[in-house]
Amino acid sequence: ERSAEEVRRMLLQRPRGRDPDASLGWRACGSGDADGEGAAESAEADASAAAASASWWPATSMADVETEAAAASSAPPPVPMGYRLMPEEERLETAERLRSKLADLERRYSSLPLKIETVGAKKQQQTLRDLLQETERALQLFERPGGVLVEV
């Protein structure tokens, strides 16, 4: 199974519009004489070169390349060592708790006075703003489809 990046890299390395062996002159230099014996050997060499060139390239058509790229992009990436994939129900439960925490923080922030004059009230306002931002970022993370990785 190849990743989309590997397929893309192979596409970039694949020569386009010309035979890679022809540019090196491998097919042009026959080992036979002019009476046709070299032509048979050259045809065999061409067939073996075509088989070899097909083996180094995994796809035979652009449709195969697109199918392979789609399969690679739909496959989930492996989970790194020291992490685990959070189960879907746990992710949804955490997102719900974050939504309720966000609603509580917004309620507390809206209950602050309109004109804040004391240092303590300004600190409380800034603390609530920071907590609101942090909770919003965490909620965005847990609402993404595809799962969440957590440290073990």
Side-chain angles (χ1 to χ4, degrees):
E1 187 84 12
R2 289 183 171 77
S3 71
E5 184 61 33
E6 289 174 325
V7 172
R8 205 173 301 117
R9 199 174 308 125
M10 282 193 260
L11 278 174
L12 292 175
Q13 292 175 351
R14 184 178 182 192
R16 298 193 184 260
R18 61 180 175 85
D19 184 8
D21 297 333
S23 66
L24 298 174
W26 291 346
R27 292 186 185 172
C29 55
S31 61
D33 52 359
D35 64 351
E37 289 179 19
E41 292 175 6
S42 177
E44 288 177 19
D46 287 347
S48 65
S53 68
S55 66
W56 71 269
W57 182 248
T60 57
S61 70
M62 196 61 182
D64 291 344
V65 172
E66 290 170 356
T67 304
E68 194 171 313
S73 65
S74 66
V79 177
M81 292 272 304
Y83 291 87
R84 70 176 177 86
L85 188 63
M86 182 180 279
E88 187 67 17
E89 63 270 357
E90 185 179 351
R91 181 185 71 84
L92 294 173
E93 180 183 316
T94 304
E96 186 56 41
R97 279 189 273 140
L98 285 170
R99 278 188 215 99
S100 66
K101 180 180 178 180
L102 187 62
D104 181 51
L105 287 171
E106 287 173 346
R107 183 189 51 76
R108 286 174 46 195
Y109 187 79
S110 66
S111 68
L112 289 174
L114 293 176
K115 188 172 184 180
I116 299 177
E117 296 176 351
T118 65
V119 174
K122 287 181 182 182
K123 274 187 162 180
Q124 184 181 13
Q125 182 187 34
Q126 188 59 44
T127 302
L128 283 173
R129 282 182 181 167
D130 293 343
L131 284 172
L132 277 167
Q133 281 184 336
E134 181 181 339
T135 306
E136 286 172 348
R137 275 189 260 125
L139 186 58
Q140 285 176 352
L141 176 76
F142 281 93
E143 284 182 337
R144 281 191 321 194
V148 176
L149 293 177
V150 290
E151 223 172 318
V152 177

